[in-house]
């Protein structure tokens, strides 16, 4: 921590490794690797961990109100992740939204929903399974497709009298479109560029652009946006669900004492829009924001650094196949950010993804976290 006293406020009692969550759902990763203790990380790195929920930010007073009391700050880093607007699926109908949360939630954040989703997947025995995606940008772009592969593989390997429909309002992801067409033609209908128009959670009917789907089980992904606390604190951009920050240090445009990092960050370039909302990019953003804060405290200038991201996405389970996605950035002559994406297919891959993950866990949580 050095010149600053650092306090981490987190409502979850333990850190959940979301990049492992789909492998855990598929039964190929153990619970021990999925969860890690925040208190141990705080002890390893010398910061204070407060197990509490951040309720509100009073920017004029430089205060965060939490479920454990108020905290004053000189500098604030908001890493709230995403919020999901489930009510948008049901025109604000609170009863329908509650029914959705109990039966069809996306389980796209750490917490009890992930355990509930595993029970739902393990208990699925027959009928139509519906998986819907939100419009991009959304957290961890490959994750819904990985889940689709898990469901399709379960249908085939368990010989279920079942079928999966994937409704995707975005252009097709070609690697997964190929897998669905070549390996899961009987099990999966993949509908890219298709919007969910209406949803009846009681009759379990989804109305699409040109068709209706009756489903027995579902993962329904609502529109995503910045963490709720970003919106209530006035940190989101006008006419946007995402936070407005400068693209270099992730300082909030509304407040020079506040930084927003991770999935909540909005548009950073007119050329490609958002950074991909991945765990590695969130970590890189945190490092960049921390360096800028320390430089301001010391009265110096921080080094100009751009984030990068590596993502391993499973394309099929048997035979094993995955895609490594490397994303890098540079500034062109006029100062605008340019994005370069490289994808590499890996057949019968080794353990490079585990080594990558362990390195990041050691960096974030200390040496005891990996392995």
């Amino acid at each position: 921590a050095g010149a600053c006293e650092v306090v981490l406020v987190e409502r979850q009692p333990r850190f959940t490794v979301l990049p492992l969550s789909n492998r855990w759902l598929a039964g190929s990763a153990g619970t021990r690797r999925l969860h890690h203790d925040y208190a141990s990380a705080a002890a390893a790195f010398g910061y204070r961990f407060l197990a509490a929920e951040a309720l509100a930010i009073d920017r004029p007073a430089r205060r965060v109100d939490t479920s454990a009391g108020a905290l004053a700050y000189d500098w604030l880093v908001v890493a709230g992740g995403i919020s999901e607007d489930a009510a948008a699926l049901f025109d604000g109908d609170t009863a329908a939204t509650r029914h959705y949360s109990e039966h069809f939630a996306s389980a796209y954040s750490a917490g009890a929903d992930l355990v509930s989703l595993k029970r739902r997947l393990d208990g699925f025995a027959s009928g139509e399974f519906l998986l819907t995606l939100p419009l991009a940008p959304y957290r961890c772009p490959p994750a819904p497709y990985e889940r689709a592969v898990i469901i399709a593989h379960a249908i085939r390997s368990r010989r279920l009298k079942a079928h999966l429909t994937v409704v995707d309002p975005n252009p097709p992801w070609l690697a997964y479109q190929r897998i669905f067409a070549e390996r899961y033609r009987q099990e999966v209908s993949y509908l890219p560029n298709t919007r969910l128009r209406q949803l009846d959670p009681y009759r379990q009917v989804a109305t699409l652009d040109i068709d209706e789907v009756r489903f027995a089980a579902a993962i329904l992904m609502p529109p995503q946006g910045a963490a709720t606390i970003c919106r209530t604190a006035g940190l989101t951009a006008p006419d946007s669900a995402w936070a407005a920050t400068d693209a270099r240090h992730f300082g909030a445009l509304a407040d020079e004492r506040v930084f927003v990092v991770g999935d909540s960050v909005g548009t950073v370039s007119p050329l490609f829009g958002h950074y991909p909302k991945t765990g590695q990019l969130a970590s890189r953003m945190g490092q960049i924001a921390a360096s800028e804060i320390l430089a301001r405290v010391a009265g110096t200038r921080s080094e100009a650094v751009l984030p990068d991201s590596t993502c391993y996405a499973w394309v099929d389970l048997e035979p094993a196949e995955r895609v490594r996605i490397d994303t890098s950035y540079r500034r062109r002559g006029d100062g605008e950010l340019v994005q370069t994406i490289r994808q590499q297919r890996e057949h019968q891959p080794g353990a490079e993804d585990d080594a990558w993950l362990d390195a990041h866990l050691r960096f974030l949580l200390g040496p005891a976290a990996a392995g």
Side-chain angles (χ1 to χ4, degrees):
C4 300
E5 178 189 3
V6 179
V7 181
L8 171 64
V9 180
E10 169 58 54
R11 66 184 174 186
Q12 298 293 343
R14 55 188 181 174
F15 178 82
T16 299
V17 186
L18 287 178
L20 266 182
S21 62
N22 281 347
R23 288 170 59 185
W24 177 75
L25 289 171
S28 60
T31 302
R32 187 183 68 83
R33 288 196 72 202
L34 189 66
H35 300 296
H36 297 272
D37 182 40
Y38 278 115
S40 297
F45 292 110
Y47 60 83
R48 176 187 168 200
F49 169 58
L50 178 62
E53 182 174 5
L55 303 173
I57 300 168
D58 185 334
R59 292 195 287 111
R62 292 187 195 164
R63 187 185 73 236
V64 177
D65 295 326
T66 82
S67 57
L71 292 174
Y73 67 83
D74 295 301
W75 306 93
L76 178 64
V77 179
V78 182
I82 60 167
S83 63
E84 293 184 308
D85 186 8
L89 296 175
F90 310 105
D91 294 326
D93 185 326
T94 55
T97 303
R98 185 167 54 252
H99 186 82
Y100 151 83
S101 299
E102 293 171 354
H103 299 282
F104 310 118
S106 71
Y108 226 57
S109 299
D113 279 352
L114 198 59
V115 176
S116 174
L117 176 58
K118 184 165 178 58
R119 285 198 297 265
R120 285 155 52 197
L121 293 177
D122 291 346
F124 177 63
S126 64
E128 186 70 33
F129 199 113
L130 176 65
L131 191 157
T132 68
L133 280 73
L135 276 171
Y138 57 86
R139 167 181 277 176
C140 192
Y145 305 96
E146 286 187 320
R147 289 181 174 183
V149 168
I150 291 169
I151 296 165
H153 181 266
I155 291 172
R156 175 178 293 178
S157 63
R158 291 159 54 189
R159 299 183 179 180
L160 302 180
K161 293 182 179 180
H163 181 267
L164 169 67
T165 296
V166 180
V167 178
D168 186 354
N170 306 291
W173 192 314
L174 297 181
Y176 288 98
Q177 186 177 45
R178 175 184 61 82
I179 288 294
F180 296 147
E182 294 179 1
R183 300 186 188 175
Y184 294 105
R185 183 179 297 273
Q186 300 302 316
E187 291 84 5
V188 179
S189 295
Y190 176 46
L191 307 177
N193 297 308
T194 302
R195 289 179 181 256
L196 175 65
R197 296 296 182 182
Q198 192 172 3
L199 189 62
D200 186 331
Y202 305 109
R203 294 174 54 234
Q204 297 180 197
V205 176
T207 303
L208 312 180
D209 288 326
I210 57 173
D211 201 0
E212 280 190 350
V213 176
R214 295 181 177 273
F215 56 91
I219 299 173
L220 306 175
M221 297 182 63
Q224 294 184 8
T228 301
I229 200 168
C230 288
R231 297 200 306 273
T232 57
L235 300 175
T236 51
D239 302 319
S240 172
W242 304 98
T245 69
D246 76 77
R248 182 183 175 192
H249 301 122
F250 308 106
L253 298 186
D255 193 322
E256 65 178 6
R257 291 278 179 163
V258 177
F259 294 76
V260 181
V261 300
D263 295 341
S264 286
V265 171
T267 299
V268 295
S269 171
L271 302 179
F272 60 86
H274 295 237
Y275 283 128
K277 299 184 183 301
T278 69
Q280 180 170 324
L281 254 165
S283 174
R284 294 285 193 257
M285 290 179 186
Q287 295 171 55
I288 292 168
S291 295
E292 175 64 11
I293 291 170
L294 291 175
R296 292 188 191 181
V297 170
T300 61
R301 292 179 62 86
S302 62
E303 181 182 357
V305 177
L306 292 173
D308 60 356
S309 177
T310 296
C311 178
Y312 292 91
W314 287 91
V315 179
D316 202 0
L317 303 182
E318 290 181 297
E321 182 178 342
R322 73 181 177 212
V323 175
R324 173 175 170 152
I325 307 165
D326 292 295
T327 312
S328 59
Y329 299 89
R330 64 176 177 83
R331 290 195 182 276
R332 67 182 190 184
D334 61 0
E336 297 291 358
L337 280 174
V338 177
Q339 176 178 258
T340 300
I341 301 175
R342 294 182 175 86
Q343 296 191 31
Q344 178 181 336
R345 287 172 57 185
E346 299 178 345
H347 298 277
Q348 298 295 344
E352 295 88 351
D353 58 337
D354 284 325
W356 165 85
L357 180 61
D358 284 346
H360 283 281
L361 290 177
R362 282 192 294 269
F363 178 81
L364 291 172
L365 301 171

